[in-house]
Amino acid sequence: KDKKNFFSNFKKYKNKIKNNINLAAISNYGLNQFKLKSNYSFCQNPLDHLHTFTINKKKSNYNKFASNILKEIEILNSKTKSSLKISQNGAEPQINLFSVRSQNLLKLKKKMEKIIYNYKKKINKNRNDFIHNWPKKSYLNGWHVRTKKGSFQPSHIHIKSWLSGVFYLKVPKINKKNGGSVIFGLRGYNYPIYNSKGLKEKEIFPKDGDIVLFPSCLFHATSPLKIHKTRDIIAFDLIPN
């Protein structure tokens, strides 16, 4: 509600932040809005831990790989008759794609694991508890989301995971005109604004084959898709086991 109240609660719960993604998100936002300094070391600047990789390289025959993944997902859905979770016009089959032992999904899982390993090396210099307390045991949970014109995701975080990501499997050209970008920031869930100039955001315009990784305490949203095209992505979480 106010600076004094926030900082009092922050000091009270600071030692629990490393085990609570919600607390981490609220703490990051409050420290930013009230311009407070603290020795809190979980992941105070999550935007610095946002990185994009790609598996769509010149000699990788990516289009064929992406088409094969989509075929395997369609076969999987027809076999399991999995129900669809609808969110803002997006359809999400409720099944963990990284638990499926099909040829191309297994290949994708291996690629993801390698990229996550490279991500850890890239951010290791940050020397905070997000790195130091990285789960010793974890598993990947991934799900396919297909969206069409008008679809979007409001700002949210993934409270049960440590690291989150999005693999842009097959997407139209994403830009300001077409929409479909992904927006990262410290604010979500209608948190009150005390310092609008202090709000930090980063907008990304991914391409086919891009993989975006970020701490699960970082809020993210998608802008509405403005064109009559289909957007296929695989969202995923690294979940402590």
Side-chain angles (χ1 to χ4, degrees), residues 56-180:
N56 187 0
K57 297 179 180 178
K58 289 182 179 179
K59 297 181 181 180
S60 67
N61 202 3
Y62 175 78
N63 289 335
K64 183 178 179 181
F65 180 55
S67 295
N68 287 339
I69 289 174
L70 284 171
K71 286 177 184 176
E72 289 183 0
I73 290 173
E74 287 168 7
I75 291 170
L76 179 66
N77 291 339
S78 64
K79 283 182 178 180
T80 60
K81 296 181 180 178
S82 60
S83 60
L84 292 180
K85 176 184 172 185
I86 306 299
S87 175
Q88 307 292 350
N89 298 331
E92 304 177 17
Q94 297 182 66
I95 187 167
N96 181 8
L97 295 180
F98 295 123
S99 68
V100 177
R101 301 194 65 78
S102 60
Q103 183 180 358
N104 291 283
L105 285 170
L106 281 172
K107 282 183 182 178
L108 178 62
K109 183 181 180 181
K110 288 180 180 178
K111 289 178 184 290
M112 291 296 185
E113 289 171 343
K114 183 177 180 181
I115 285 173
I116 289 171
Y117 174 79
N118 290 334
Y119 171 83
K120 282 180 66 180
K121 286 176 64 177
K122 193 177 184 77
I123 65 170
N124 192 50
K125 61 184 179 181
N126 290 305
R127 298 180 180 276
N128 56 36
D129 287 345
F130 179 64
I131 288 295
H132 294 159
N133 295 329
W134 193 275
K136 292 180 180 179
K137 293 184 179 181
S138 60
Y139 66 94
L140 280 175
N141 181 45
W143 59 99
H144 171 230
V145 183
R146 173 169 287 170
T147 54
K148 297 181 179 179
K149 184 179 180 182
S151 64
F152 69 96
Q153 282 283 358
S155 187
H156 63 286
I157 54 176
H158 297 195
I159 62 173
K160 293 182 179 180
S161 63
W162 191 263
L163 177 76
S164 296
V166 184
F167 168 43
Y168 290 83
L169 180 58
K170 204 167 187 179
V171 298
K173 187 172 183 179
I174 295 175
N175 52 33
K176 288 284 188 183
K177 182 180 178 181
N178 295 343

Side-chain angles (χ1 to χ4, degrees), residues 178-193:
N178 295 343
S181 63
V182 56
I183 303 159
F184 296 90
L186 301 181
R187 182 174 182 264
Y189 300 154
N190 294 317
Y191 288 172
I193 298 174

Side-chain angles (χ1 to χ4, degrees), residues 34-60:
F34 294 123
K35 299 180 181 179
L36 295 169
K37 293 184 179 181
S38 170
N39 61 354
Y40 149 64
S41 63
F42 176 68
C43 189
Q44 192 171 340
N45 298 300
L47 283 168
D48 294 342
H49 296 65
L50 168 66
H51 293 286
T52 301
F53 302 82
T54 186
I55 60 171
N56 187 0
K57 297 179 180 178
K58 289 182 179 179
K59 297 181 181 180
S60 67

